[in-house]
């Protein structure tokens, strides 16, 4: 296991600003009036852990995506870029394959942070001839209906950003989309991942190279520890060897577990390692674990550089990170 290296992104601030602009331009209706009252309402529902209400109507979803997803997007771009040598996004499995397609399934990914980060990664990585033929195929899965948010952000990634009518001819000719429609496909599927049948889960993750659980796993554990464990085991069965699982969440997340009538708190990463690395709880009965852990960070800061412009407050964030690869 290695510790993640904190490389700097090439053209970091420019890329970051482009991603923020995608959020700003995706929901003009929300930003044309004072968004603060809506923000307060969503914050209140999140504080009360009333997610059904917080994610229950379109204007709340757009407000959430505008306020909470952009900082996470920039954080995820840095994480994915740092992990690129491990994830090897566009490495073609066969020399006969013309185009390398990287399939990513974002579980709990409806709010768009990981989608826009992947759009940014696409732009950063497409530097060589081979990478120009590379494609990303992203499926965002979420219990709430984020279809409209995903469509708007996805379209912002593959279309030229709007320019002011006073923009110079030079600015207009330099204006380009982050990446092209032919190389970036995004779909949204509304599912409760804890109640998916093994067959449906297997269909969703079929041929996936990367599964992400970003700021979602602890929510799943809080909903049901046993369903989450079952879900992780079904995911293990459904994925092909070589697939990666990336988990990012708040550091110090705990879940309360009842054992023989006594309640104990376990750190999220302990539960995760326990389920993935030693599923039977018996090393002899299960000599080759189904996952190998490649990287971990218990607590790390992502700090925004100065100078970024965005109409709503952005924030530095702290996270824990775990990257696993499915063994043969
Ligand atoms: C804190 S948000 C994180 C969103 C996004 N991944 C990010 O990093 O910004 C958690 C997401 O998980 C989704 N979620 C929670 N429970 C779920 C479940 N059982 N099945 C699918 N999605 C779920 C929520 O609807 C929400 O979109």
């Amino acid at each position: 296991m290695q510790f993640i290296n904190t490389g700097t992104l090439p053209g970091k601030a420019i890329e970051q600003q482009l991603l923020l602009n995608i959020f700003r331009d995706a929901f003009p209706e929300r930003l044309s009036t004072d968004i603060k009252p809506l923000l307060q309402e969503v914050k209140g529902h999140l504080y009360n852990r009333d997610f059904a209400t917080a994610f229950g109507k379109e204007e709340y979803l757009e407000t959430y995506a505008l306020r909470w997803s952009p900082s996470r997007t920039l954080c995820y771009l840095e994480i994915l870029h740092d992990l690129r040598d491990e994830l090897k996004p566009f490495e073609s499995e066969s020399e006969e394959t013309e185009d390398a397609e990287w399939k990513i399934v974002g579980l709990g990914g409806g709010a768009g942070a990981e989608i826009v980060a992947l759009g940014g990664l696409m732009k950063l990585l497409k530097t060589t001839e081979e990478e120009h033929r590379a494609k990303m195929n992203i499926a965002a899965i979420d219990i709430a209906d984020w279809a409209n948010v995903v469509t708007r952000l996805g379209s912002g990634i593959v279309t030229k950003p709007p320019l002011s009518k006073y923009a110079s001819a030079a600015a207009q000719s330099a204006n380009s989309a982050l990446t092209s429609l032919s190389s970036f496909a995004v779909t949204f599927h509304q599912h409760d991942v804890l109640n998916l049948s093994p067959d449906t889960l297997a269909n969703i993750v079929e041929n996936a190279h990367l599964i992400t659980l970003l700021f979602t796993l602890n929510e799943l554990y809080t909903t049901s520890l046993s369903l989450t464990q079952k879900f992780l085991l079904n995911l293990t069965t459904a994925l092909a060897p070589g697939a990666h699982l990336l988990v990012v969440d708040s550091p110090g997340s705990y879940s309360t577990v009842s054992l023989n009538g006594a309640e104990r708190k376990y750190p999220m990463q302990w539960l995760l390692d326990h389920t993935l690395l030693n599923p039977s709880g018996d090393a002899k009965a299960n000599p080759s674990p189904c996952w190998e852990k490649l990287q971990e960070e218990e607590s790390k800061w992502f700090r925004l550089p100065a100078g970024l412009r965005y109409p709503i407050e952005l924030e530095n964030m702290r996270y824990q990170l775990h990257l696993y690869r499915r063994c043969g």
Side-chain angles (χ1 to χ4, degrees), residues 55 64 69 72 76 107-111 113-114 141-144 146 191-194 214-216 219-220:
F55 299 142
Y64 181 96
S69 295
R72 290 203 185 136
Y76 299 159
L107 301 172
E114 39 278 69
I141 315 293
D142 205 289
I143 196 169
W146 293 94
H191 293 290
D192 173 355
V193 298
L194 295 183
L214 308 185
F215 282 84
T216 296
E219 232 172 274
L220 300 184

Side-chain angles (χ1 to χ4, degrees), residues 174-219:
N175 193 26
S176 64
L178 209 57
T179 185
S180 67
L181 182 59
S182 59
S183 60
F184 195 82
V186 188
T187 52
F188 175 74
H189 311 268
Q190 190 175 6
H191 293 290
D192 173 355
V193 298
L194 295 183
N195 285 298
L196 285 175
S197 71
D199 284 351
T200 311
L201 182 62
N203 280 338
I204 291 170
V205 302
E206 191 177 9
N207 302 326
H209 300 98
L210 172 66
I211 307 293
T212 61
L213 273 167
L214 308 185
F215 282 84
T216 296
L217 183 63
N218 202 50
E219 232 172 274

Side-chain angles (χ1 to χ4, degrees), residues 28-311:
E29 304 87 345
R30 293 295 139 242
L31 293 173
S32 64
T33 53
D34 184 9
I35 197 171
K36 283 193 197 112
L38 270 175
L39 269 174
Q40 280 314 111
E41 285 177 42
V42 178
K43 250 185 204 173
H45 298 310
L46 292 174
Y47 181 80
N48 295 328
R49 302 192 60 78
D50 180 359
F51 299 117
T53 307
F55 299 142
K57 58 180 177 178
E58 206 53 56
E59 55 184 359
Y60 282 178
L61 295 174
E62 293 185 1
T63 303
Y64 181 96
L66 272 168
R67 164 66 180 81
W68 280 279
S69 295
S71 308
R72 290 203 185 136
T73 285
L74 302 190
C75 174
Y76 299 159
L77 176 64
E78 187 156 290
I79 289 174
L80 291 165
H81 194 260
D82 282 350
L83 294 175
R84 66 194 181 282
D85 290 340
E86 195 61 73
L87 298 173
K88 300 186 178 61
F90 303 123
E91 210 161 81
S92 192
E93 280 145 33
S94 135
E95 286 186 3
E96 283 151 39
T97 313
E98 273 258 305
D99 301 319
E101 183 174 280
W102 198 39
K103 179 172 173 181
I104 305 107
V105 178
L107 301 172
E114 39 278 69
I115 297 170
V116 180
L118 285 162
L121 184 71
M122 190 73 169
K123 184 169 173 61
L124 287 174
L125 295 183
K126 272 198 161 195
T127 49
T128 67
E129 177 90 2
E130 273 150 46
E131 284 155 355
H132 271 288
R133 296 202 314 258
K135 292 179 184 170
M136 273 191 200
N137 178 343
I138 305 167
I141 315 293
D142 205 289
I143 196 169
D145 184 3
W146 293 94
N148 169 56
V149 166
V150 169
T151 303
R152 286 192 188 211
L153 292 172
S155 124
I157 291 167
V158 296
T159 46
K160 290 183 185 181
L163 283 185
S164 142
K165 60 181 174 187
Y166 305 109
S168 66
Q172 290 187 26
S173 71
N175 193 26
S176 64
L178 209 57
T179 185
S180 67
L181 182 59
S182 59
S183 60
F184 195 82
V186 188
T187 52
F188 175 74
H189 311 268
Q190 190 175 6
H191 293 290
D192 173 355
V193 298
L194 295 183
N195 285 298
L196 285 175
S197 71
D199 284 351
T200 311
L201 182 62
N203 280 338
I204 291 170
V205 302
E206 191 177 9
N207 302 326
H209 300 98
L210 172 66
I211 307 293
T212 61
L213 273 167
L214 308 185
F215 282 84
T216 296
L217 183 63
N218 202 50
E219 232 172 274
L220 300 184
Y221 273 129
T222 308
T223 304
S224 165
L225 180 88
S226 58
L227 285 180
T228 303
Q229 278 174 324
K230 198 167 122 199
F231 154 73
L232 289 170
L233 293 176
N234 287 341
L235 187 65
T236 304
T237 310
L239 287 170
H244 289 90
L245 171 66
L246 175 64
V247 177
V248 174
D249 223 303
S250 306
S253 297
Y254 282 83
S255 278
T256 305
V257 180
S258 284
L259 265 185
N260 304 326
E263 295 220 316
R264 279 193 64 181
K265 280 189 162 189
Y266 288 93
M268 186 199 84
Q269 71 270 26
W270 186 89
L271 293 169
L272 184 61
D273 280 352
H274 184 72
T275 307
L276 296 187
L277 303 180
N278 188 19
S280 72
D282 176 351
K284 274 190 194 143
N286 190 48
S288 54
C290 300
W291 292 94
E292 90 186 273
K293 193 163 195 176
L294 303 178
Q295 298 233 5
E296 90 176 344
E297 284 288 342
E298 269 183 36
S299 176
K300 186 166 180 194
W301 275 100
F302 167 71
R303 294 185 197 279
L304 295 152
L308 293 175
R309 280 166 293 127
Y310 191 67

